[in-house]
Amino acid sequence: MDTKNKPLSGTLVIDFSQYLSAPSASLRLADLGARVIKIEQPEKGDLSRELIFSNLTVNRQSTMFMAVNRNKQSYVASLKINEERRKVYKLIERADVVIHNFRPGVAERLGIDYETIKGINSKIIYAELSGYGKEGVWKDKPGLDLLIQSISGLTQLNGNDGAGPVPIGLAVVDILSGAHLCQGILACLYRKITTGEGGRVEVSMLESALEYQFESITAFFRDGGEPTIRPKNNSAHAYLGAPYGIYPTLNGFIALAMGQIPHLGELLGCDALLPYTKVDEWFTKRDEIKNILGQHLSSKNTADWLAVLEPADIWCAEVMDWKTLFDTEAFKILEMIQEVNMGDGFSYNTTRCPISINDEFLTSEKGCAELGEDNQEIQEEFTL
């Protein structure tokens, strides 16, 4: 889709954020058509430029940085130098949104706190993302994904009972909190259009991680605050009964969601499942049911079981790795991978925005910017 036709075309975002959480919010705004100017410190820039994944770099940059900072401009300025801060203030005068994810107190020291920015631009939407909120004894703790997964209870929901805490193998709290920040920004942009009023959006990673668990936390309170108990085997959800889980087959794995146990037994030819006719047993006896089911499913290939279960409208799926998935027609039709280009001509593949509008995908050809790549253009355009 052409940038001029995207919903946020004409929206200017000044982005001070680093690493993954808040930059994922500004990435989504950029995909929706906003112009995002990323303010970076001299020499090093966003510290995630050097945060290397799996010993891999792309055109001398971190793959994480390349993925989350495409479709943005890079403007280098030291906020500790008055003249350079003054130029940044001129950008903020023209902006609709300011984003940062500094720890509490840092924005004040840099001169980009809410009251200062509101004094420069009274209609600004000021969005800040923290680890634990701006108050309380935890406010200065480092807001790292793994730490917040661990504190929030997320690691107690994954894996089998007795396995110890198991984190989700993605920076899920970073992405969730970025999505929540983006939602708040979009709501305030709508209000600004309708009333002319700006606003302040605040999200903490801990609150996002807790809200992510709303089903399980609600069940926890309804259960009288009893400790979370995961299934002993084939676990996929601590609060759901059999058959919910992942099971080995003769040549791979199969995922089973909801299903009536006796009906599954009939379809699969597993007579040992037929006696479990009471719905409450599917939870209270889930470990023994899953053990029976697991042994039975290991006798045939995944495709054999899918051929039986899918026509019967049983919710199931083959467990795939990326290579297997990317070779399927179902994946290819989504056109989920796009090629983007850097200013020096280097190209790389990454995911596109998952949103489509009026039957058009929100794609963009712009990769991440080199540090300070857009300084001259921005200074001339805004007469800085």
Side-chain angles (χ1 to χ4, degrees):
M1 179 183 290
D2 188 284
T3 301
K4 294 179 181 179
N5 296 326
K6 292 182 178 180
L8 296 185
S9 176
T11 302
L12 178 59
V13 178
I14 304 302
D15 182 16
F16 295 95
S17 64
Q18 299 190 86
Y19 293 113
L20 184 55
S21 55
S24 70
S26 59
L27 172 63
R28 189 60 65 238
L29 296 174
D31 283 337
L32 289 166
R35 179 181 182 180
V36 176
I37 298 178
K38 184 176 179 68
I39 308 297
E40 299 191 71
Q41 61 181 324
E43 298 182 9
K44 289 188 176 182
D46 182 335
L47 296 178
S48 71
R49 284 182 179 270
E50 298 179 355
L51 187 59
I52 307 303
F53 274 23
S54 191
N55 289 330
L56 294 174
T57 59
V58 182
N59 202 24
R60 308 177 310 282
Q61 306 287 348
S62 155
T63 53
M64 184 186 83
F65 181 86
M66 301 282 273
V68 78
N69 288 294
R70 60 174 177 79
N71 211 13
K72 305 174 187 178
Q73 294 181 292
S74 173
Y75 183 83
V76 168
S78 173
L79 297 176
K80 298 177 181 178
I81 299 174
N82 289 336
E83 178 60 21
E84 294 191 21
R85 190 193 307 131
R86 183 192 64 78
K87 291 179 180 180
V88 171
Y89 285 166
K90 287 192 69 175
L91 291 175
I92 291 172
E93 286 177 3
R94 303 266 294 275
D96 300 286
V97 180
V98 165
I99 299 175
H100 78 77
N101 60 343
F102 296 119
R103 291 192 198 185
V106 174
E108 285 78 5
R109 291 199 299 272
L110 294 175
I112 55 168
D113 56 282
Y114 177 60
E115 293 303 326
T116 298
I117 300 306
K118 187 179 178 182
I120 295 168
N121 182 341
S122 62
K123 296 183 179 180
I124 199 71
I125 295 164
Y126 186 91
E128 54 188 311
L129 194 153
S130 65
Y132 307 85
K134 62 185 180 183
E135 298 178 348
V137 296
W138 286 359
K139 65 183 177 63
D140 293 320
K141 281 180 172 284
L144 296 177
D145 190 281
L146 176 61
L147 306 186
I148 293 175
Q149 282 199 47
S150 302
I151 286 172
S152 68
L154 264 176
T155 60
Q156 304 296 330
L157 298 176
N158 307 309
N160 295 330
D161 185 39
V166 179
I168 298 171
L170 288 170
V172 62
V173 182
D174 280 325
I175 303 304
L176 283 168
S177 57
H180 291 154
L181 192 70
C182 185
Q183 290 168 10
I185 291 168
L186 292 173
C188 284
L189 280 171
Y190 177 78
R191 185 177 66 183
K192 183 177 180 180
I193 292 170
T194 55
T195 70
E197 182 183 352
R200 186 177 191 177
V201 181
E202 297 174 90
V203 171
S204 80
M205 295 172 69
L206 179 57
E207 290 168 292
S208 287
L210 291 168
E211 197 275 340
Y212 182 45
Q213 302 170 82
F214 65 91
E215 290 178 290
S216 297
I217 288 175
T218 303
F220 170 81
F221 284 118
R222 186 67 182 90
D223 199 27
E226 290 296 317
T228 303
I229 299 176
R230 297 167 290 181
K232 294 185 183 300
N233 50 278
N234 309 99
S235 178
H237 197 300
Y239 286 91
L240 290 180
Y244 203 92
I246 291 176
Y247 300 84
T249 64
L250 192 60
N251 69 334
F253 293 87
I254 188 170
L256 294 177
M258 317 305 190
Q260 298 184 354
I261 299 303
H263 183 45
L264 272 177
E266 294 172 1
L267 289 169
L268 299 172
C270 182
D271 293 342
L273 293 178
L274 299 181
Y276 296 97
T277 56
K278 297 179 181 178
V279 174
D280 62 342
E281 291 181 326
W282 304 348
F283 183 83
T284 60
K285 297 182 179 180
R286 63 183 178 179
D287 291 324
E288 61 183 76
I289 293 172
K290 286 186 170 191
N291 188 51
I292 294 168
L293 187 55
Q295 291 184 31
H296 188 75
L297 290 170
S298 66
S299 65
K300 291 184 180 181
N301 291 339
T302 302
D304 296 327
W305 295 126
L306 293 174
V308 173
L309 296 172
E310 287 183 332
D313 200 27
I314 300 297
W315 295 357
C316 58
E318 177 185 358
V319 177
M320 300 182 183
D321 57 21
W322 288 328
K323 185 179 186 307
T324 304
L325 170 65
F326 294 170
D327 285 339
T328 64
E329 288 302 316
F331 173 80
K332 292 175 183 177
I333 199 171
L334 296 175
E335 299 178 34
M336 197 63 215
I337 304 300
Q338 64 178 351
E339 183 179 78
V340 294
N341 306 295
M342 296 180 65
D344 62 1
F346 183 86
S347 300
Y348 61 97
N349 289 336
T350 188
T351 53
R352 64 163 173 83
C353 176
I355 301 167
S356 62
I357 294 178
N358 295 336
D359 296 323
E360 287 191 65
F361 297 133
L362 297 179
T363 58
S364 63
E365 296 182 355
K366 180 176 172 54
C368 81
E370 293 281 3
L371 181 61
E373 177 180 323
D374 303 291
N375 270 51
Q376 183 174 347
E377 175 189 337
I378 291 169
Q379 287 177 359
E380 291 176 357
E381 179 182 350
F382 290 90
T383 61
L384 301 181

